[in-house]
Amino acid sequence: MNQPDSGPAPVLALTDISKSFGAVRALQDVSLHLYPGEAHALAGENGAGKSTLIKTLAGVHRPDAGQVLLDGEPVVFNGPADARDAGIAVIYQEPTLFPDLSIAENIFMGRQPRTSLGRIDRRAVHGATAALMTRLGVDLDPERLARGLSIADQQIVEIAKALSFDARVLIMDEPTAALTGSETARLFSVVRTLREGGAAVLFISHRLEEIFELCQRVTTLRDGRWVASELLGGLTEDDLVRRMVGRDLDELYPKQATTVGGTALSVRRLTREGVFRDVSFEVREGEIVALAGLVGAGRSEVVQAVFGVDKADAGEVHVGGERLRAGSPTAAMAAGVALVPEDRRQRGLVMEASIERNIGLTGLDRLGSGGLVRRALERGRATDWAVKLQLKYNRLSDAVGVLSGGNQQKVVLAKWLATDPAVLIVDEPTRGIDVGTKAEVHRLLSSLAAEGLAVLMVSSDLPEVLGMADRVLVMHEGRLVAELPRAEATEETVMAAATGRLAGEGAAA
Amino acid sequence: MNTLAKYLRWDTVVGVLLIAVFLAGSGTTEGFADTANLSAALNDTAEIALIALPMTLLVVAGQVDLSVASMLGLSSALAGSLWEAGWSFELIVPICLLVGALGGLLNGWLVTRVGLPSLAVTIGTLTLYRGLASVVLGDKAIADFPEAYAQWATYTQTVPGTFVPYPIALFAVLAVVTAVVLHCTAFGRSLYAIGAQEDAAYFAGIRVKRLKLVLFVLAGFVASFAGIVYTLRYGSARADNGLGLELVVIASVLLGGVDFDGGKGTLGGAVAGVLLIGLLNNLLTLNDVSNEIQVIVTGLLLVASVLTPRVVTSVSERRQRRAATAAPATA
Ligand SMILES: Nc1ncnc2c1ncn2[C@@H]1O[C@H](COP(=O)(O)OP(=O)(O)OP(=O)(O)O)[C@@H](O)[C@H]1O
Ligand SMILES: [Mg+2]
């Protein structure tokens, strides 16, 4: 191990922690030391045990063996509240907001400032929330209800919640997975300030460049075991990947050349009042078109209207030349459209249902005849896709809720790829997916496109957009502001359009 | 995770309990295991059992229909008043069924189109349908229905060679059909998805509203049919027939392990729940236990059915926890 041997003692440490869930050994003899003033990365593939480790630190899970040490003393946290009282702020991988409470109420849940009369001081709550939002550089109304917030916005609220008390330890499980570059940059500058003030930070991300940008040390896990704890200074991204995966990795963006065919999806003047306006574009067979933009630009809303889960106020969607009935996902599916939604917990998956049931849900009419569902076909469909996407699971009859975040995302992809679509719309397809599998997903999308599939991809991951897309459409504040062919799409041009510096110019043809 | 809770499926427990009650009854109570008594005991649950089928589908889909017993009453009152007016029974039955389906349609429409929660909607229509029943028949009681039909509904006539009365035989057939629908069809799969996570079901292209509507119509239809059965079985059409029966139906379904939050449960469990409550009540009656006590026993069973899985979970969690806290001390 490579730890600073002089200087302060670890503020928080795990020693020889093991944790199993039934037959799944999620952690085995893992140790981790977190020092004040350091940003420490936790790396590993999907299902390596990162979230389990964090939940053990935070008192959500009890370790089967091993100890948690706070300032060198063994502690037993009985739940997240204990951890919080000890000054540990945790941002979990999946946002857990109360949908019927406002953003401000969510952030100050259970510890609202009070007036002298003992009533909740609404104005103070509002003000503090607004201040947090300014600090994070986002424009979210503190009074807005959490219901209906995009995943990225929910993530921001979770971050604000963690920052709202003066934590000595800040633990973040993939906080940036749904964020674009600019929100991430803001978050990092806030985190740096905390770190300089002596706080310890534990950070998880599958975007390796973020790890190198923010952190000084990294601990790598593989299959629930500790692999290495070392300074990032001497490492390359390839070194880190090798630690995580145990082998070298192929190309991350294996873009295949394709021959572009006829128009598969055509969106004409689509409008939803107050959300997006006058959006027109086409996606042709064999083409991967990316929809880029900042968080809140309306990208997810556009694709949801295209698929029909939201009803547009005006405009038309044509698939394969036929006009789609508005507001009917069933009709969209029948026309060969598939949508992998952004929010996997609410919309992508039935969390308490099994892996095979979830994958089967989009093809119930194909799993037998006369409305009957044949178990063997259902299982076969699930098995096929579990193998293709290298799903890490125990049994196909396990609830998807027990899978690691990245593996849940694979199930959502599987469920939609299994419908054999003509137009595939993916909203953040690789959110929370590890580098190795990301490359697999990209390879898959690329080869499907080569076979004539039309792909529309919403992604906040700019390298992914630039690496995979034949064309990049950029949205800014609900309007399509730029259309860039692959050759012209660079980080600068996309960001310029996304931040509105291009507004008015070159709207999509 | 926690082994005890995993292997101890509640619907199995209810099945075992059912057998235990049967064995205990045969051992202790004279006449309990006689075929005539069993026929009577089964037939006494006919309406509850019939309505429990669509109710199970509704609860699995995260919905509930509290208006079923009122619909039973309305159907009975309607049958009575038409019979009194001299209509032929062959015409009365389809009219009652149509009214039932329309009542279900109203429930479903309010839930899916207006977007009200089913609990609120059907509390309203519970009162409405019972009120309509009183309007139709007042406080009269109509009797003297055609002998052939009345015979069909009583426990004294059984399917030849068995002790199964006809309403129960019909229920058995419908139960098998419902079980296949719930557990082996696309329709059934969709209901579980809707009950567990409605948004995810909608995003998967499932016609959530249409399916819910179908379920409510089905519930109204079956409830009105149960009203006919009830009328024939007791030989009396009254506006207050089956008062409060909806609670027994729901209790039986929940007792059978169907989760009130939706998304969980089996039809077999629900049927076992119905039979368990039916047999138990019969046994208590034979032992001269008063009606009040019977209600209390049913209530306790229900509380137990809701509590037991939770207790099992928390006990095994505590055991795990103790093991976990003991570990560092020995290390
Ligand atoms: N509550 C649970 N019950 C059963 N198995 C679980 C549970 N939680 C996690 N697991 C299993 O433990 C393993 C580690 O999961 P964990 O969530 O820690 O992975 P991770 O490293 O965070 O992955 P990801 O990058 O995908 O988020 C996985 O195989 C997962 O299926
Ligand atoms: Mg995780």
Side-chain angles (χ1 to χ4, degrees):
Chain A
M1 274 201 251
N2 195 346
Q3 288 154 15
D5 31 29
S6 61
V11 48
L12 190 63
L14 289 173
T15 54
D16 299 322
I17 292 279
S18 296
K19 174 77 193 172
S20 297
F21 299 101
V24 180
R25 309 182 81 178
L27 293 174
Q28 288 182 64
D29 298 326
V30 173
S31 299
L32 179 95
H33 303 265
L34 210 55
Y35 294 89
E38 76 162 341
H40 193 127
L42 192 56
E45 290 182 281
N46 294 134
K50 304 179 297 296
S51 299
T52 306
L53 184 139
I54 279 183
K55 288 181 185 157
T56 312
L57 268 180
V60 176
H61 292 322
R62 299 290 194 109
D64 299 338
Q67 284 184 307
V68 180
L69 305 174
L70 184 68
D71 296 319
E73 296 293 320
V75 283
V76 175
F77 293 135
N78 283 311
D82 284 3
R84 191 183 72 195
D85 293 343
I88 303 174
V90 186
I91 301 169
Y92 295 99
Q93 187 168 4
E94 310 292 346
T96 50
L97 301 177
F98 296 99
D100 294 315
L101 295 184
S102 71
I103 290 176
E105 284 165 333
N106 264 293
I107 291 177
F108 289 96
M109 185 73 210
R111 47 196 182 87
Q112 291 95 338
R114 311 225 161 216
T115 64
S116 51
L117 291 171
R119 294 178 47 183
I120 290 174
D121 187 346
R122 291 184 144 273
R123 196 174 305 158
V125 172
H126 185 100
T129 307
L132 282 166
M133 293 303 160
T134 316
R135 210 168 142 202
L136 287 168
V138 290
D139 183 25
L140 275 178
D141 177 7
E143 297 307 316
R144 197 171 150 190
L145 289 190
R147 183 184 301 285
L149 286 181
S150 73
I151 284 289
D153 288 341
Q154 292 181 37
Q155 202 66 263
I156 300 264
V157 176
E158 290 287 354
I159 291 169
K161 190 157 82 180
L163 297 178
S164 68
F165 49 94
D166 297 313
R168 301 159 61 206
V169 180
L170 177 61
I171 300 180
M172 303 188 286
D173 195 349
E174 302 193 29
T176 57
L179 304 188
T180 58
S182 44
E183 295 96 19
T184 303
R186 283 289 191 141
L187 172 65
F188 283 6
S189 79
V190 173
V191 170
R192 276 194 202 98
T193 317
L194 287 177
R195 192 169 64 73
E196 277 152 18
V201 176
L202 185 61
F203 176 72
I204 298 181
S205 173
H206 289 295
R207 298 182 187 165
L208 302 187
E209 69 277 7
E210 292 180 352
I211 290 184
F212 281 91
E213 190 188 334
L214 185 70
C215 300
Q216 291 80 52
R217 286 203 305 142
V218 58
T219 292
T220 311
L221 301 179
R222 192 193 309 152
D223 291 333
R225 292 173 198 271
W226 178 88
V227 176
S229 290
E230 57 208 324
L231 288 170
L232 274 160
L235 288 183
T236 64
E237 288 199 7
D238 288 342
D239 293 333
L240 194 52
V241 168
R242 214 169 300 123
R243 302 251 193 301
M244 285 163 53
V245 188
R247 59 181 165 84
D248 282 317
L249 206 63
D250 314 327
E251 206 185 343
L252 188 50
Y253 303 109
K255 177 98 182 89
Q256 275 172 252
T258 66
T259 42
V260 173
T263 302
L265 172 73
S266 147
V267 174
R268 298 180 199 162
R269 310 208 63 163
L270 206 62
T271 300
R272 252 191 89 194
E273 288 316 329
V275 188
F276 55 84
R277 290 202 69 114
D278 212 1
V279 172
S280 304
F281 61 89
E282 290 190 345
V283 183
R284 281 166 290 167
E285 289 164 6
E287 205 183 22
I288 300 181
V289 174
L291 199 51
L294 298 184
V295 166
R299 299 164 299 163
S300 297
E301 287 79 1
V302 168
V303 294
Q304 284 178 15
V306 169
F307 186 62
V309 286
D310 292 341
K311 202 163 181 175
D313 296 322
E316 298 172 9
V317 177
H318 294 250
V319 175
E322 300 280 318
R323 183 172 173 179
L324 270 193
R325 189 147 60 85
S328 168
T330 320
M333 279 174 74
V337 187
L339 169 69
V340 172
E342 178 190 27
D343 184 345
R344 60 176 169 249
R345 289 185 77 81
Q346 290 301 321
R347 298 170 162 181
L349 296 170
V350 181
M351 297 305 281
E352 59 192 62
S354 66
I355 300 170
E356 53 193 3
R357 291 264 173 125
N358 269 287
I359 294 178
L361 203 59
T362 49
L364 288 173
D365 50 344
R366 298 194 217 173
L367 294 176
S369 50
L372 289 176
V373 170
R374 282 183 47 206
R375 292 259 163 102
L377 290 178
E378 190 177 45
R379 173 147 297 191
R381 175 178 167 119
T383 314
D384 278 358
W385 285 96
V387 171
K388 277 189 200 156
L389 296 180
Q390 297 168 16
L391 188 70
K392 196 175 170 220
Y393 63 98
N394 192 16
R395 281 173 314 204
L396 285 173
S397 54
D398 287 342
V400 282
V402 308
L403 294 179
S404 78
N407 282 297
Q408 291 177 6
Q409 184 66 22
K410 290 185 199 173
V411 176
V412 189
L413 277 171
K415 150 180 179 182
W416 285 107
L417 290 175
T419 62
D420 194 13
V423 177
L424 176 66
I425 307 175
V426 286
D427 196 350
E428 306 289 355
T430 58
R431 183 169 71 89
I433 285 191
D434 67 43
V435 274
T437 316
K438 212 179 214 171
E440 282 314 310
V441 170
H442 290 152
R443 192 182 319 280
L444 193 72
L445 289 180
S446 197
S447 66
L448 288 171
E451 289 166 20
L453 181 71
V455 180
L456 177 61
M457 173 175 80
V458 175
S459 175
S460 296
D461 190 346
L462 200 49
E464 178 172 86
V465 167
L466 300 177
M468 295 303 297
D470 295 298
R471 252 183 323 135
V472 182
L473 306 171
V474 189
M475 285 188 72
H476 173 67
E477 292 181 350
R479 282 172 181 279
L480 211 52
V481 291
E483 173 170 353
L484 306 163
R486 185 173 175 82
E488 285 170 32
T490 64
E491 200 161 317
E492 288 71 36
T493 52
V494 174
M495 281 318 286
T499 49
R501 274 178 279 147
L502 256 181
E505 184 192 314
Chain B
M1 212 178 353
N2 65 72
T3 32
L4 201 56
K6 198 154 52 184
Y7 294 113
L8 221 84
R9 280 184 37 179
W10 180 254
D11 44 2
T12 328
V13 175
V14 177
V16 171
L17 224 54
L18 181 62
I19 296 170
V21 167
F22 180 77
L23 293 178
S26 341
T28 60
T29 310
E30 203 182 323
F32 173 73
D34 291 357
T35 52
N37 179 58
L38 289 180
S39 302
L42 281 175
N43 218 29
D44 268 342
T45 66
E47 298 83 21
I48 296 167
L50 285 167
I51 302 176
L53 299 176
M55 189 67 83
T56 304
L57 301 184
L58 277 166
V59 176
V60 164
Q63 309 296 306
V64 72
D65 185 351
L66 293 175
S67 73
V68 283
S70 298
M71 181 50 76
L72 183 154
L74 176 57
S75 162
S76 179
L78 191 61
S81 97
L82 293 179
W83 180 245
E84 194 187 26
W87 294 47
S88 89
F89 202 71
E90 288 75 18
L91 200 58
I92 291 175
V93 173
I95 289 176
C96 287
L97 295 182
L98 183 68
V99 168
L102 286 176
L105 192 66
L106 176 63
N107 285 335
W109 183 79
L110 288 170
V111 170
T112 57
R113 301 295 145 177
V114 185
L116 301 169
S118 61
L119 200 67
V121 166
T122 58
I123 282 180
T125 52
L126 174 149
T127 319
L128 173 66
Y129 298 156
R130 189 64 76 181
L132 286 178
S134 301
V135 170
V136 169
L137 200 59
D139 53 9
K140 284 188 284 193
I142 310 296
D144 298 323
F145 290 97
E147 190 59 22
Y149 293 108
Q151 281 297 321
W152 177 85
T154 61
Y155 74 93
T156 46
Q157 276 221 357
T158 58
V159 177
T162 69
F163 60 88
V164 181
Y166 284 99
I168 294 300
L170 178 65
F171 160 73
V173 173
L174 292 180
V176 171
V177 172
T178 312
V180 170
V181 166
L182 183 60
H183 298 297
C184 309
T185 65
F187 184 83
R189 288 283 196 281
S190 305
L191 298 188
Y192 281 100
I194 293 172
Q197 207 126 322
E198 194 171 321
D199 266 0
Y202 178 59
F203 269 70
I206 290 170
R207 296 180 205 258
V208 175
K209 290 184 175 173
R210 184 180 298 184
L211 292 192
K212 281 190 191 169
L213 194 71
V214 168
L215 294 186
F216 281 104
V217 171
L218 213 61
F221 182 84
V222 173
S224 63
F225 180 72
I228 308 273
V229 174
Y230 194 105
T231 309
L232 292 173
R233 221 157 57 77
Y234 290 95
S236 165
R238 294 174 55 98
D240 64 355
N241 274 352
L243 197 66
L245 210 67
E246 70 278 346
L247 293 181
V248 187
V249 173
I250 294 168
S252 308
V253 170
L254 298 191
L255 177 62
V258 182
D259 193 327
F260 200 61
D261 290 337
K264 279 195 219 87
T266 61
L267 194 87
V271 170
V274 169
L275 295 180
L276 180 59
I277 289 187
L279 273 197
L280 209 57
N281 280 342
N282 177 264
L283 191 57
L284 295 174
T285 311
L286 290 183
N287 284 296
D288 293 328
V289 177
S290 73
N291 213 7
E292 292 75 24
I293 304 284
Q294 289 187 24
V295 173
I296 292 176
V297 170
T298 312
L300 286 177
L301 254 180
L302 189 62
V303 172
S305 78
V306 178
L307 279 184
T308 313
R310 307 249 154 112
V311 172
V312 170
T313 313
S314 78
V315 164
S316 61
E317 245 165 35
R318 203 172 310 145
R319 200 180 303 151
Q320 268 189 338
R321 215 167 262 195
R322 217 176 295 132
T325 38
T330 53

